Amino acid sequence: MSRLQSMTGFARAARDHDAGSVAWEVKSVNGRSLEARFRLPAGFERIEQTARQRLQKRFSRGNVQASLTFTQSAALRRPVVDEDFLKEIAALAGRLQDQFGTGPATADGLLGLRGVLDFADPVADEEMRASLDEAILAAFDEALQGLEEARRDEGSALQAIMLDHVARIEALTDQVEADASRSPEAIRERLREQVARLLDATTGFDSDRLHAEAAILAAKADIREEIDRLRTHIASARALIAAGGPVGRKLDFLGQEFNRESNTLCSKSNAATVTAIGLELKAVVDQFREQVQNLE
């Protein structure tokens, strides 16, 4: 039996590179379709399209958030000073000191001003940049693999729960089919009593016509078709669950069909026992449909 896949999960993957260390965190929650949002450090927007394509190859549904962190290698951090800007700031500080008696400017104070000191891009070299991008995407593939496993692990738990629901739906369908109120003798006796009460309470009725109308009503109240359709849906649900993969939408449709048949069964019921079984069936179907919403 293949494994179903949930839409919720979390994974993390990290790698070291000469330019620094990279780490991905990916998490997903339920969604009607596949939506992906990326949080990337400045300068790494270039890898988003490739990463998005790789994600789309693995998943078909879910809201996925992917965050990348990059820590530069200390050995490659080279300070770069904007000397022209520094001279202008130092000159301004000197004038303020002369005119207003402010304290003298310090080197650390000047270098701490935005725009004076920066660090050179450690991956300005095209070869190193390409190597770093390769490491980032390899880490992303690892994170996606972990997310897929996490979603499958939860899917396995859901698989067992849903098979239990289907088994319960089948058991209730069996109960409806075997209910004593559906036997020809019980139906005939119920109709006989109803017709007798009508004839006793009223005058002017054609008894033959009344019996014919009662037979028509009995045919309309028959739930054989609903039972047969329930059994067909049960078989389809088991086949989809066994197939695994992204079958959430198909199972959601079956859940709607289960709900339709259980509603019809309750509305056509003319026996308290069948109605009680139908109401329990509706409750189990609701539980089945609720679990389906978690599946890819």
Side-chain angles (χ1 to χ4, degrees):
M1 181 180 290
S2 300
R3 296 168 67 185
L4 294 176
Q5 190 169 132
S6 168
M7 283 189 285
T8 61
F10 173 83
R12 186 179 189 278
R15 290 207 174 194
D16 291 326
H17 187 268
D18 291 342
S21 60
V22 298
W24 282 100
E25 286 189 355
V26 290
K27 61 180 179 180
S28 67
V29 294
N30 294 358
R32 295 183 63 83
S33 58
L34 179 63
E35 296 183 12
R37 287 179 289 176
F38 286 84
R39 296 179 59 186
L40 306 172
F44 288 88
E45 295 83 359
R46 62 184 183 273
I47 60 99
E48 179 174 340
Q49 182 176 358
T50 302
R52 187 179 295 275
Q53 291 172 348
R54 295 189 179 192
L55 186 148
Q56 291 171 342
K57 288 181 179 179
R58 286 181 178 265
F59 306 108
S60 60
R61 293 180 69 192
N63 289 324
V64 181
Q65 293 184 358
S67 300
L68 171 67
T69 57
F70 173 68
T71 305
Q72 294 179 347
S73 171
L76 296 179
R77 290 174 63 87
R78 301 192 308 274
V80 177
V81 178
D82 187 335
E83 296 187 3
D84 291 337
F85 185 40
L86 176 59
K87 289 177 182 178
E88 292 179 10
I89 295 295
L92 177 59
R95 290 197 300 271
L96 291 175
Q97 183 179 3
D98 293 339
Q99 294 178 19
F100 302 104
T102 59
T106 61
D108 59 341
L110 292 173
L111 292 175
L113 295 174
R114 178 176 296 182
V116 175
L117 177 65
D118 203 348
F119 290 90
D121 185 355
V123 288
D125 177 79
E126 288 299 325
E127 185 176 348
M128 179 173 285
R129 185 188 298 272
S131 175
L132 176 60
D133 287 356
E134 184 179 343
I136 290 173
L137 292 172
F140 187 60
D141 286 338
E142 184 180 341
L144 291 182
Q145 179 64 32
L147 179 63
E148 190 171 359
E149 286 300 317
R151 287 169 51 137
R152 283 179 176 170
D153 287 344
E154 185 170 339
S156 294
L158 291 174
Q159 193 166 19
I161 293 172
M162 295 184 66
L163 285 173
D164 285 344
H165 289 330
V166 174
R168 185 59 182 151
I169 291 171
E170 183 176 43
L172 290 169
T173 302
D174 290 342
Q175 289 182 34
V176 168
E177 187 171 28
D179 191 83
S181 67
R182 296 192 63 252
S183 69
E185 294 78 10
I187 295 173
R188 186 162 44 249
E189 178 62 21
R190 190 159 55 247
L191 287 174
R192 188 192 64 77
E193 292 176 355
Q194 292 172 349
V195 170
R197 283 198 297 269
L198 285 172
L199 290 174
D200 290 343
T202 58
T203 59
F205 274 101
D206 183 333
S207 61
D208 292 336
R209 174 67 182 275
L210 191 58
H211 279 86
E213 293 293 336
I216 293 173
L217 290 175
K220 289 182 178 180
D222 183 60
I223 56 175
R224 179 72 259 169
E225 290 185 6
E226 284 69 32
I227 292 173
D228 290 342
R229 283 195 289 266
L230 280 169
R231 295 200 181 282
T232 298
H233 299 330
I234 288 167
S236 297
R238 284 184 170 141
L240 286 172
I241 293 172
V247 294
R249 291 185 184 278
K250 294 180 180 179
L251 285 171
D252 185 47
F253 173 76
L254 277 180
Q256 296 176 38
E257 293 300 304
F258 277 136
N259 189 60
R260 192 191 327 275
E261 301 306 333
S262 59
N263 281 335
T264 305
L265 189 148
C266 286
S267 66
K268 293 175 71 172
S269 170
N270 53 16
T273 53
V274 172
T275 300
I277 297 171
L279 292 175
E280 186 175 354
L281 178 62
K282 281 175 59 64
V284 177
V285 168
D286 285 343
Q287 294 169 2
F288 175 87
R289 297 180 69 189
E290 182 178 351
Q291 294 298 337
V292 166
Q293 303 310 310
N294 298 316
L295 292 177
E296 182 180 10

